[in-house]
């Protein structure tokens, strides 16, 4: 199933599945980094794929990157 994500669907996903806010207003594809605002007030960038699939839903200060294997 290939789900087409739009900026409005992404914004709804972010609001329903995290405490962060989506600041980006346009979506051009899965490789694009989106701008988010963390609950601590910091802005951070992640691709939507990482945000959605890897549960990277906060800034690097609140949720440090996981060490690679």
């Amino acid at each position: 199933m290939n789900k087409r994500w739009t900026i409005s669907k992404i914004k709804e996903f972010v609001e329903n599945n995290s405490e962060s806010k989506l600041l980006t207003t346009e979506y051009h594809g899965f490789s694009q980094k989106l701008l988010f605002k963390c609950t601590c007030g910091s802005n951070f960038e992640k691709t939507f794929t990482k945000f959605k699939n890897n549960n990277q839903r906060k800034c690097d200060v609140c949720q440090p990157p996981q060490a690679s294997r």
Side-chain angles (χ1 to χ4, degrees):
M1 183 177 118
N2 186 8
K3 187 171 187 176
R4 290 272 179 198
W5 287 96
T6 62
I7 196 68
S8 58
K9 286 181 184 175
I10 291 172
K11 186 172 184 174
E12 184 179 327
F13 179 89
V14 171
E15 289 172 356
N16 292 335
N17 296 286
S18 77
E19 297 175 4
S20 299
K21 287 188 177 165
L22 178 66
L23 299 179
T24 302
T25 56
E26 293 182 4
Y27 182 61
H28 301 288
F30 69 93
S31 62
Q32 172 193 355
K33 286 194 173 185
L34 303 174
L35 185 62
F36 298 93
K37 187 175 207 76
C38 186
T39 54
C40 71
S42 299
N43 291 349
F44 65 99
E45 287 186 325
K46 292 268 192 281
T47 61
F48 182 58
T49 304
K50 283 186 177 178
F51 187 90
K52 179 170 67 79
N53 297 339
N54 298 350
N55 288 323
Q56 297 179 7
R57 299 182 181 171
K58 294 184 178 177
C59 70
D60 289 343
V61 175
C62 294
Q63 181 181 3
Q66 296 175 344
S68 59
R69 296 180 186 204

